Amino acid sequence: MEDLVVQRKEGLYCPPGDFYIDPWRPVDRAVITHAHGDHSRRGNAHYLAAAPAEGVLRTRLGEIDLQTLPYGAVVDHFGVRLSLHPAGHVLGSAQVRLEHEGRVWVASGDYYVAGSSADAGEDNKTCAPFEPVRCHCFITESTFGLPIYRWQPQAELFADIDDWWRANADAGRASLLIGYAFGKAQRILMGVDRSIGPIVVHGAVEPLNRAYRAAGIDIPETPIATEVKDKALFRRALIVAPPSAQGSTWTRRFGDYSDAFASGWMQLRGARRRRSVDRGFVLSDHADWPGLQRAIAATGAERVIVTHGYEAVMVRWLTDQGFEASAFATEYGLDDDELPGAVGDAVAASERAAEHVAESIGDVEAAGIVVAPEDAPVDDAGA
Ligand SMILES: [Zn+2]
Ligand SMILES: [Zn+2]
């Protein structure tokens, strides 16, 4: 029997339904899991996405031919029953469930589920929480698919951020917190203690905040840094900005400031230093290693196909657990579309490769996973 999703040069393709999921080249019909730049590209003739994604998708892509579907609603396309289910990653993010001739496949897109507990306190408050969907085959992401990635409870993490901000404010110093403009920035804005001081955002963050507020998410009203007249306000302020703002002349208006970077990559030794920031906070919109395991188990799938991230490590681990496992080579990358173009992408990719090869393989082996030589391109990474 033919697979329900296969890999084509344009992207992941559903042959009986004749549509693509998050294609990286322009196609006629694209089902979009979420509005991050590497998953929702311009140039497709028709888009289908979850209803809560409409605002953020239009903010990022402008005028597109977009059909939306409430979570759980079913459309039938050439005999394929398609529905979208919350992925907990960013506003409107969805897993794609496909049912055809008695078989069910689910493509996860990116998802967030904390592995530390099934506690609702660990949900991403900026969107509908991840919903496990039973299926025969699960196509999973594996951005943080190594045993070293284990997120601390969110309450602890945000207490750490609040402590850093409060100490800076008490010293009369601005707090510049760098995080991606879509998803990460809103997690920060919802998670911090708003009583510590004023919160200010970079101009790239505000259009997305507006889309979140319009969708009913409780994002505080925040002035844009360039519109703040009274510079004294910055001395107690938390300023939320994307990576492109770091080190730019835009930061001069703050006077004395401390900076920090919020990302899952901050779990890696050396990541904070490479980003040249004072602090690193491990805050991710992706599942950690236990979260990936929990999510995969909850699907009940016998077969798992792994996409972007540590495909080889995940496939090996899944095979050892008795799953039928393989990988798709996709063109999804970091949710790093704030970096300026190809140069930024290349820097991010090489940085990631170098860090991971140098610092992760040892941990993987320590966890009992055998990493084949072809998975460790030490020479290429120059690590
Ligand atoms: Zn994403
Ligand atoms: Zn992704």
Side-chain angles (χ1 to χ4, degrees):
M1 237 177 168
E2 190 179 29
D3 285 349
L4 267 189
V5 178
V6 298
Q7 190 177 305
R8 280 194 174 181
K9 66 179 191 305
E10 294 88 352
L12 303 185
Y13 179 67
C14 175
D18 190 25
F19 55 77
Y20 287 82
I21 299 169
D22 294 351
W24 44 85
R25 293 193 192 175
V27 300
D28 187 30
R29 277 186 294 273
V31 179
I32 299 297
T33 63
H34 67 289
H36 272 139
D38 53 335
H39 290 262
S40 61
R41 300 185 192 240
R42 291 172 202 280
N44 299 301
H46 306 284
Y47 291 78
L48 176 73
E54 179 165 9
V56 285
L57 262 178
R58 291 199 189 281
T59 299
R60 308 214 96 190
L61 297 182
E63 275 307 308
I64 52 172
D65 178 1
L66 173 65
Q67 180 191 347
T68 62
L69 205 57
Y71 286 131
V74 177
V75 284
D76 192 303
H77 198 71
F78 299 142
V80 176
R81 288 166 56 80
L82 181 154
S83 54
L84 303 171
H85 302 267
H89 174 61
V90 291
L91 180 61
S93 62
Q95 306 170 77
V96 182
R97 181 186 187 276
L98 305 172
E99 184 177 344
H100 182 67
E101 294 177 352
R103 289 181 303 157
V104 178
W105 282 44
V106 171
S108 74
D110 291 343
Y111 62 94
Y112 169 82
V113 52
S116 57
S117 83
D119 186 334
E122 295 306 318
D123 288 344
N124 178 351
K125 309 288 190 299
T126 65
C127 60
F130 177 89
E131 174 193 304
V133 181
R134 303 285 296 180
C135 56
H136 299 107
C137 179
F138 185 50
I139 303 173
T140 185
E141 66 134 319
S142 60
T143 306
F144 291 105
L146 283 182
I148 55 163
Y149 294 109
R150 288 165 199 273
W151 313 145
Q152 69 184 121
Q154 287 190 74
E156 278 176 26
L157 172 73
F158 281 106
D160 288 350
I161 295 176
D162 289 341
D163 287 347
W164 166 76
W165 176 16
R166 197 177 292 108
N168 289 331
D170 290 349
R173 189 167 53 219
S175 300
L176 176 61
L177 184 49
I178 306 289
Y180 299 123
F182 171 37
K184 196 60 54 64
Q186 291 75 33
R187 284 280 292 288
I188 293 166
L189 291 167
M190 277 194 77
V192 295
D193 178 355
R194 300 175 194 186
S195 72
I196 296 171
I199 303 177
V200 175
V201 298
H202 184 275
V205 174
E206 184 54 22
L208 292 150
N209 286 352
R210 276 189 212 124
Y212 271 74
R213 288 186 205 110
I217 311 297
D218 176 30
I219 304 291
E221 292 287 345
T222 48
I224 295 171
T226 50
E227 292 170 3
V228 172
K229 300 276 187 293
D230 176 12
K231 299 277 190 291
L233 176 141
F234 292 132
R235 291 205 290 266
R236 286 202 66 83
L238 177 71
I239 302 137
V240 178
S244 58
Q246 201 193 349
S248 71
T249 55
W250 176 85
T251 59
R252 286 193 196 144
R253 70 194 74 241
F254 306 130
D256 185 23
Y257 69 89
S258 174
D259 56 7
F261 202 100
S263 165
W265 303 114
M266 288 295 133
Q267 183 116 41
L268 293 173
R269 273 175 287 139
R272 184 190 58 75
R273 182 171 41 76
R274 282 191 190 85
R275 283 289 183 181
S276 327
V277 285
D278 300 324
R279 286 288 299 268
F281 295 111
V282 184
L283 175 62
S284 177
D285 298 330
H286 294 266
D288 59 359
W289 173 254
L292 290 165
Q293 295 182 350
R294 208 152 59 79
I296 292 167
T299 65
E302 302 109 43
R303 184 172 168 197
V304 180
I305 301 174
V306 182
T307 67
H308 59 331
Y310 298 97
E311 292 97 335
V313 173
M314 276 301 277
V315 167
R316 179 62 192 249
W317 183 82
L318 288 163
T319 304
D320 287 349
Q321 304 301 307
F323 291 94
E324 180 189 346
S326 58
F328 278 150
T330 63
E331 294 187 17
Y332 311 132
L334 299 168
D335 298 324
D336 212 351
D337 43 13
E338 317 300 338
L339 286 166
V343 176
D345 292 348
V347 169
S350 66
E351 179 180 74
R352 187 168 76 142
E355 282 169 356
H356 295 176
V357 171
E359 301 179 15
S360 303
I361 298 303
D363 296 301
V364 173
E365 287 171 346
I369 293 169
V370 178
V371 179
E374 61 266 31
D375 301 332
V378 174
D379 295 340
D380 295 343

